[in-house]
Amino acid sequence: MIRIGNASGFYGDRFAAVREMLTGGPLDVLTGDYLAELTMLILGRDRMKDPARGYARTFLRQLEETLGEAVDRGVKIVTNAGGLNPAGLADRVRELADRLGLDVAVAHVEGDDLLPRAAELGLGRPLTANAYLGAFGIAECLRAGADIVVTGRVTDASLVVGPAAARFGWARDDFDELAGAVAAGHVIECGAQATGGNYAFFTEHDVAAPGFPIAEVHADGSSVITKHEGTGGAVTVGTVTAQLLYEIGGARYLGPDVTARFDALTLADDGPDRVRISGARGEPPPPRLKVCLNRLGGYRNAVTFVLTGLDIEAKAALVRDQMERALKDRPPARIRWTLARTDRPDAATEQEASALLHCEVKDADAAVVGRAFSGAAVELALASYPGFHVTAPPSDASPYGVYEAAFVDASEVPHVAVLPDGTRVDIPPAPVTREPSDEPEPPLPEPPPSGQPTRRVPLGALFGARSGDKGGDANLGVWARSDDAWRWLAHTLTVAKLRSLLPETADLPVRRHVLPNLRALNFVIEGLLGEGVAAQARFDPQAKALGEWLRARHVDVPVGLLA
């Protein structure tokens, strides 16, 4: 067994988690995931200001407090905090170790940054262009004796797969073992989301201060998800199911080293705060690597008008007409109005009597959505609807980013392990690949008996959900906690039913994937998030609460299930 913990699920996660994980109990490896699509844009803008930057600086500050602890305990550290400059961060780590008087072997993995070759590869002129590398560069560094491995853009699960492959000597075609480690890595990559954070049934557990997760990975690829004894939160079949469904597509989870079959996974209770994942099946990976592209999309601005009391719709129509008149000589390329009816009749407080009218504008010209837009809003202060005020003064225009996924043949992407002694080792692409293909939907369970008495309740009374973003698409996983509830869910929550419950999805392509072993459905809603989180195209730009909206919708459920 190799015991791999995680202390960061995103750039900005709990600062103290690195120390908590190192001192809370035994570990072999501590990982940290700092990268997301939006983070790459942030680091890209950092690099524009200073070419020596482009990495997650928080990691260095965390390491300054904890590097001695890691050395004393023999815990290796693997992180993607290198971002756009893994070599630069590796150098800073060496400098830190020297300053602290610690003997630490530092290695890094590079090759993912395709920006210098973007035009040659047909990727246009983005701000960042990074391919998702796999785990075998990390494994090479660890086999060479590295204590700390810094990477750029690798798949999140690779931070776990690499140490496991190094420990157990897995070959490139040990697909089942690799797939099992991918599942474990996918569960712990987002930190406390595996231990009760953001969990649909959070009222059933004490999740005020959840600990961070650990994957005990075995030589056959099976694993046990757990956490340090005495830490908060909970590890249950439910919390692990929720995280397995997070930001996936169908049953096949594609990666640079293996295609993991999530429909083959089996979860089982293994004791308090322990869940075993077994049954993993793997297939050859696809021949192309995914590339994360970020570009600057233009400039945006926004203002939120507060509408209080009577005639809400008329007040909204008036201010909209006034703003559009003021901007008619040079209207923004995009203007979006959203009225949130948060008001209620005969309200006891002014806030409860108020609705919010949000206006967002975007344009390639900063002046159009800067002074012109803000000035138009401010000039209405004494000349619009009764009770006119805004939640905050309009600001100047700010740049926004656009995310796009591209695919490049793996043979076009260098993957280099730079060992502690400076030796550079080329990691070849997967020797065997397979084009991804869709399989027929697995057979559904027997439908529940017809004619049962029903009661109208929120869907979340019975079912959990977790949602998230993949570029401009939203992912929404829904799971049942009993076989009878699964039978009802599988036959009831169709694409048509989802569209009726979530009207925002009505005109969008929606794909449903069935995962019987997890008693779960996963929906991919294409285009719901526009051009991705950085473009801020929606009230909830990363679809984090989409699942909770679905759980709050009322449906007719057999009374027997509620019992």
Side-chain angles (χ1 to χ4, degrees):
M1 180 187 74
I2 181 171
R3 194 172 168 88
I4 305 171
N6 176 37
S8 176
F10 68 102
Y11 194 6
D13 210 341
R14 189 190 309 166
F15 187 88
V18 174
R19 178 172 293 280
E20 291 170 4
M21 290 299 287
L22 287 171
T23 61
L27 282 179
D28 297 304
V29 178
L30 182 62
T31 67
D33 178 11
Y34 291 80
L35 302 184
E37 292 157 1
L38 179 60
T39 311
M40 301 302 282
L41 176 65
I42 294 169
L43 296 178
R45 294 175 63 183
D46 278 354
R47 186 171 63 177
M48 287 176 67
K49 298 173 187 174
D50 181 354
R53 294 283 174 83
Y55 53 79
R57 286 173 279 172
T58 300
F59 172 71
L60 270 181
R61 294 193 290 115
Q62 290 172 305
L63 206 60
E64 186 164 12
E65 296 183 1
T66 57
L67 184 55
E69 194 77 48
V71 171
D72 290 345
R73 294 173 178 265
V75 178
K76 295 182 181 294
I77 296 175
V78 179
T79 179
N80 61 16
L84 304 178
N85 188 6
L89 180 56
D91 286 341
R92 301 294 84 75
V93 172
R94 292 185 188 97
E95 292 169 4
L96 174 63
D98 289 344
R99 180 158 55 83
L100 297 176
L102 299 171
D103 183 16
V104 177
V106 182
H108 74 273
V109 177
E110 62 185 32
D112 62 293
D113 192 350
L114 303 181
L115 189 63
R117 300 168 54 216
E120 168 199 337
L121 295 170
L123 303 175
R125 299 180 61 187
L127 176 64
T128 68
N130 295 81
Y132 286 80
L133 300 180
F136 281 88
I138 295 171
E140 187 73 26
C141 292
L142 292 171
R143 283 195 292 261
D147 301 306
I148 298 177
V149 181
V150 173
T151 78
R153 179 72 279 184
V154 297
T155 66
D156 301 340
S158 290
L159 301 176
V160 169
V161 180
R167 170 66 63 89
F168 301 123
W170 291 337
R172 299 297 294 264
D173 60 354
D174 285 329
F175 293 127
D176 290 347
E177 291 85 347
L178 293 169
V182 165
H186 182 69
V187 170
I188 74 168
E189 72 186 47
C190 284
Q193 278 197 170
T195 57
N198 302 351
Y199 181 53
F201 302 106
F202 72 99
T203 57
E204 299 176 1
H205 307 285
D206 179 6
V207 295
F212 275 66
I214 297 166
E216 298 174 353
V217 184
H218 295 261
D220 64 355
S222 66
S223 64
V224 171
I225 307 301
T226 185
K227 61 187 183 70
H228 282 321
E229 189 174 349
T231 56
V235 177
T236 69
V237 169
T239 67
V240 174
T241 298
Q243 188 54 31
L244 279 172
L245 295 174
Y246 184 60
E247 295 182 347
I248 66 169
R252 284 183 165 90
Y253 189 73
L254 306 180
D257 298 316
V258 64
T259 295
R261 295 295 300 263
F262 274 25
D263 55 346
L265 299 175
T266 299
L267 305 183
D269 233 327
D270 196 58
D273 291 318
R274 293 176 62 83
V275 173
R276 182 172 296 278
I277 305 176
S278 59
R281 283 172 43 214
E283 299 170 347
R288 288 173 293 280
L289 299 185
K290 183 178 177 181
V291 181
C292 170
L293 302 176
N294 280 293
R295 59 181 173 85
L296 294 178
Y299 297 86
R300 66 181 296 275
N301 205 347
V303 63
T304 301
F305 302 93
V306 183
L307 316 175
T308 304
L310 306 177
D311 305 317
I312 295 295
E313 299 286 346
K315 289 171 178 173
L318 172 61
V319 73
R320 178 170 179 167
D321 179 62
Q322 289 177 310
M323 284 291 291
E324 291 178 351
R325 283 171 183 266
L327 300 172
K328 65 180 174 54
D329 291 338
R330 176 58 173 90
R334 277 179 282 181
I335 182 166
R336 185 165 61 97
W337 293 90
T338 307
L339 176 60
R341 293 300 304 265
T342 52
D343 56 301
R344 62 180 64 182
D346 194 23
T349 68
E350 183 177 334
Q351 187 171 0
E352 291 178 345
S354 299
L356 300 176
L357 177 65
H358 187 73
C359 179
E360 182 190 53
V361 289
K362 292 180 178 177
D363 200 275
D365 187 344
V368 171
V369 295
R371 293 177 183 176
F373 173 75
S374 296
V378 169
E379 289 173 3
L380 294 178
L382 303 179
S384 190
Y385 60 87
F388 179 100
H389 67 287
V390 295
T391 55
S395 61
D396 202 356
S398 59
Y400 72 91
V402 172
Y403 165 82
E404 181 185 354
F407 295 87
V408 172
D409 193 283
S411 63
E412 296 282 355
V413 180
H415 185 175
V416 181
V418 184
L419 307 184
D421 64 0
T423 302
R424 299 176 64 85
V425 179
D426 290 323
I427 308 299
V432 180
T433 63
R434 182 184 301 172
E435 288 285 355
S437 61
D438 292 326
E439 285 190 352
E441 184 176 283
L444 298 179
E446 288 293 318
S450 59
Q452 299 181 81
T454 62
R455 184 184 308 160
R456 196 160 185 81
V457 297
L459 188 73
L462 281 172
F463 303 100
R466 177 163 286 168
S467 55
D469 64 314
K470 277 296 181 186
D473 299 342
N475 138 256
L476 171 53
V478 186
W479 78 93
R481 301 205 284 180
S482 71
D483 289 339
D484 286 342
W486 164 237
R487 292 167 65 194
W488 183 89
L489 180 71
H491 289 276
T492 304
L493 193 57
T494 60
V495 168
K497 184 65 173 178
L498 181 84
R499 287 190 169 123
S500 71
L501 292 173
L502 304 183
E504 281 186 55
T505 71
D507 299 323
L508 297 173
V510 179
R511 288 173 285 129
R512 184 180 100 147
H513 302 280
V514 181
L515 300 166
N517 280 16
L518 301 179
R519 295 191 296 221
L521 304 172
N522 189 56
F523 296 88
V524 178
I525 304 157
E526 297 179 17
L528 182 69
L529 307 179
E531 295 172 304
V533 57
Q536 298 286 306
R538 187 176 177 271
F539 166 69
D540 174 16
Q542 290 181 279
K544 298 294 187 184
L546 186 67
E548 287 304 291
W549 178 26
L550 178 66
R551 294 183 69 239
R553 296 308 310 268
H554 286 218
V555 292
D556 295 315
V557 172
V559 172
L561 296 183
L562 297 173

